Amino acid sequence: MTQVTYIQPDGSETKVDVPAGMSLMQGAILNDVPGIVAECGGSAMCATCHVYLDPSCADLVPPLAEVEIDMLESAASERKETSRLSCQLVASDELDAVTVHIPLSQN
Amino acid sequence: MVSVATPSTNTLPTTDFDPYDEAVLLDPYPHYETLRELGPVVYLERYGAYALSRHDEVRAVLADAETYCSGAGVGLANFFKEKPWRKPSIILEADPPFHARTRKVVARVLSPASISRLKSIFESEANSLVDKILAMGDFDAARDFSEAYPLKVFADAVGLPAEGRENLLPYGDMVFNGFGPINERFSTRLSETTNSIEWISQVCRRENLAPDGLGADLYKAADAGEITHEEAEMLVRTLLSAGLDTTVFTLCNAMLSFAENPNQYALLRENPNLARQAMEEVIRYEPTFHSFYRTTTRPVEIAGVKIDENQKICVIIGSANRDPRRWEKPEEFDINRKVTGHLGFGTGIHGCAGQMMARLEGEILLGAFARKVKSIRLTGEPVRHLNNTVRGFESMPARVVAQ
């Protein structure tokens, strides 16, 4: 299980315990965290689950996958060094906690 | 290698259920309910294949492309044991790591960033088409509307010539019949499609495609060395087989869902900006794609049922989308539902590569419809089109009234 902190553009936070094996996108959708649309449901096809990984967590998760690199071209909000698709970030028992920032818009 | 597809545990229910029986194609949902209640995994004795009909198991299998491969074919036939009826698709029926190369190119060509350039032309065509059916009043919601739109805007977007487009739907129909068993429905369609296959193979050639379309984009990827030119030609054909019938039937299913649920149409008419999420609910509630297959690459256990290597598993997404374990009141069409996670486009690495195009077409056409049309009702019995894998209509007599 990973404790995920989702931070909204206005600074408000939601903490969710996401079970191992579940993506941060699914964790947000199932817990009504606003700002993650996830139209394609996790196939890395829509770029509407875009998040910014908190810089403090950069070394905690696997690097950008190739599908993310390509699909982030389609993100509605500014693409940054820390941009990720939350459908590709997966909670695990080895990852205690991670923080992501929700962008202003997804589509 | 395990050669006989016999059930390997006593707890596995077997059934003579036939997903391709005419009565099932006409109204599958009561059958799906029976199947879901029978167990998480059942054995289709008629076809020598396993079947999954609940959301969680279907999703898990689609998400694990290494264990449940597509390279043995996504139809009933096992390409590892028998000769394919056609050359396997280099994207749909390719497995990792080879799959990633073609998928990357197609995903880019069909990505939101790429197709956003089509938005304004899609909007003007949608407005024209809605005006046209309003002028008719009585119209065929299948032919005059749901077929007309993708055959115009998607075919234009790919860069096809205007002449000969009547070949597109029969060709896709034949391909999707092939995702089931090689039965009479498939064979009849295949024998009728000789001319269409020839036309399709001609228009997929670079010199016959518009230079600024999605088809040309695939050839540009070949120029850049990402794929071969032969592969580009095959991928254009994939766009044509996968991108027309599916969208046409989805639009048909939207028309039927709203005609039968006027309260939901009233909600959409009040707020046409709901069109995009309404299309999503259409695809959950009345999915176009109903079933296809994966093949086990090793011995597995699904919900306590042991399955040998190299076995066909029928994943019934049409049933998963109606599974009450996942959806509240699944039999209700509710455009305000939180519908993320439905399996109407599949999921995982083989999730529909054209799904953002489908959403764009659906949102724009349904939005234009909702802004201009006060009411829609059926004026006759809709005639279903029977296909082994996709559900839609031959005709749907209806009447629309302007705002």
Side-chain angles (χ1 to χ4, degrees):
Chain A
M1 188 160 73
T2 302
Q3 186 182 66
V4 183
T5 304
Y6 300 91
I7 303 182
Q8 297 295 326
D10 67 3
S12 62
E13 292 184 13
T14 313
K15 286 188 193 297
V16 174
D17 289 331
V18 180
M22 184 180 280
S23 73
L24 271 55
M25 175 280 282
Q26 287 173 290
I29 294 290
L30 293 175
N31 291 282
D32 293 319
V33 176
I36 303 277
V37 176
E39 260 187 342
C40 80
S43 303
M45 289 303 301
C46 70
T48 64
C49 67
H50 179 202
V51 294
Y52 303 116
L53 186 65
D54 193 89
S56 68
C57 305
D59 297 333
L60 302 180
V61 298
L64 265 178
E66 194 163 357
V67 287
E68 286 180 85
I69 296 172
D70 291 346
M71 194 45 62
L72 283 164
E73 292 289 325
S74 293
S77 292
E78 181 194 358
R79 181 175 183 173
K80 300 179 184 174
E81 289 267 306
T82 55
S83 285
R84 300 297 300 255
L85 294 182
S86 57
C87 69
Q88 303 298 310
L89 296 173
V90 180
S92 69
D93 291 331
E94 293 72 45
L95 179 63
D96 289 336
V98 66
T99 298
V100 294
H101 301 261
I102 310 271
L104 279 170
S105 163
Q106 297 283 11
N107 45 19
Chain B
M1 190 164 75
V2 179
S3 57
V4 188
T6 44
S8 50
T9 142
N10 293 332
T11 60
L12 173 69
T14 61
T15 169
D16 66 354
F17 171 70
D18 181 359
Y20 313 103
D21 181 73
E22 187 169 323
V24 174
L25 296 185
L26 287 169
D27 183 14
Y29 297 110
H31 301 278
Y32 290 165
E33 186 180 356
T34 306
L35 213 53
R36 286 191 303 266
E37 295 311 312
L38 210 50
V41 187
V42 302
Y43 189 73
L44 303 177
E45 57 187 4
R46 192 182 290 261
Y47 294 109
Y50 297 81
L52 308 177
S53 56
R54 298 181 185 174
H55 173 92
D56 286 357
E57 286 76 20
V58 170
R59 184 180 175 82
V61 163
L62 293 179
D64 184 356
E66 308 241 331
T67 308
Y68 305 98
C69 77
S70 295
V74 298
L76 177 65
N78 186 339
F79 295 172
F80 296 160
K81 294 178 179 174
E82 50 196 292
K83 191 174 177 295
W85 64 271
R86 63 163 187 173
K87 207 172 161 187
S89 160
I90 58 172
I91 177 165
L92 185 74
E93 292 168 331
D95 290 320
F98 308 106
H99 168 263
R101 194 170 54 95
T102 44
R103 173 79 182 194
K104 178 183 164 74
V105 171
V106 173
R108 186 177 66 235
V109 168
L110 294 173
S111 69
S114 164
I115 64 178
S116 63
R117 67 186 198 250
L118 300 166
K119 199 170 172 205
S120 62
I121 184 77
F122 278 21
E123 282 170 350
S124 68
E125 293 292 344
N127 283 322
S128 302
L129 182 60
V130 176
D131 288 343
K132 186 176 163 191
I133 58 156
L134 279 170
M136 295 167 79
D138 286 301
F139 76 117
D140 187 327
R143 291 194 181 133
D144 299 329
F145 189 73
S146 304
E147 287 183 15
Y149 190 67
L151 281 175
K152 172 64 181 157
V153 302
F154 181 72
D156 281 356
V158 173
L160 298 189
E163 295 296 315
R165 292 185 185 183
E166 67 278 4
N167 291 297
L168 287 163
L169 295 179
Y171 178 73
D173 189 46
M174 183 267 294
V175 170
F176 290 124
N177 271 322
F179 285 20
I182 304 304
N183 56 10
E184 192 183 341
R185 199 173 286 121
F186 170 78
S187 310
T188 305
R189 192 40 122 175
L190 182 61
S191 67
E192 289 169 355
T193 329
T194 316
N195 292 339
S196 297
I197 293 172
E198 176 56 27
W199 183 85
I200 296 278
S201 66
Q202 287 301 319
V203 297
C204 291
R205 299 169 70 92
R206 190 172 204 168
E207 61 269 26
N208 295 326
L209 292 164
D212 56 351
L214 304 172
D217 286 349
L218 291 168
Y219 280 99
K220 286 173 196 162
D223 294 342
E226 291 183 272
I227 51 175
T228 68
H229 287 86
E230 189 196 359
E231 287 172 330
E233 191 173 320
M234 293 169 82
L235 292 175
V236 176
R237 192 159 56 211
T238 299
L239 291 190
L240 301 184
S241 59
L244 268 308
D245 301 63
T246 48
T247 316
V248 166
F249 288 166
T250 299
L251 294 171
C252 286
N253 293 333
M255 289 294 104
L256 184 75
S257 300
F258 282 111
E260 290 184 336
N261 294 276
N263 61 329
Q264 294 297 306
Y265 186 65
L267 292 174
L268 178 64
R269 197 162 64 90
E270 278 166 32
N271 183 4
N273 293 330
L274 292 176
R276 196 168 175 103
Q277 75 180 60
M279 282 308 299
E280 214 65 36
E281 169 67 351
V282 168
I283 295 164
R284 185 214 53 96
Y285 170 74
E286 200 58 87
T288 299
F289 241 101
H290 271 244
S291 60
F292 46 84
Y293 292 80
R294 293 290 186 260
T295 306
T296 53
T297 58
R298 58 177 175 81
V300 295
E301 190 170 313
I302 302 176
V305 175
K306 288 188 168 65
I307 299 177
D308 290 333
E309 181 185 342
N310 205 16
Q311 302 301 313
K312 281 279 166 176
I313 299 182
C314 184
V315 282
I316 309 181
I317 60 179
S319 172
N321 276 4
R322 295 278 190 115
D323 183 1
R325 295 159 191 79
R326 172 63 179 79
W327 305 100
E328 265 179 51
K329 298 182 180 168
E331 71 291 346
E332 286 186 12
F333 177 58
D334 173 6
I335 66 170
N336 283 308
R337 182 191 294 275
K338 261 178 59 183
V339 71
T340 298
H342 73 77
L343 296 172
F345 288 114
T347 192
I349 66 165
H350 291 288
C352 174
Q355 58 182 279
M356 299 309 280
M357 173 67 86
R359 288 190 174 96
L360 188 69
E361 290 177 68
E363 175 189 17
I364 289 175
L365 187 61
L366 189 59
F369 188 91
R371 286 181 187 91
K372 290 169 181 273
V373 176
K374 184 175 166 188
S375 66
I376 173 168
R377 68 178 179 87
L378 300 181
T379 54
E381 193 61 32
V383 180
R384 279 217 167 264
H385 177 85
L386 299 185
N387 180 287
N388 286 335
T389 302
V390 288
R391 288 186 86 233
F393 292 87
E394 292 286 344
S395 78
M396 193 186 296
R399 182 172 301 155
V400 278
V401 177
Q403 297 275 25

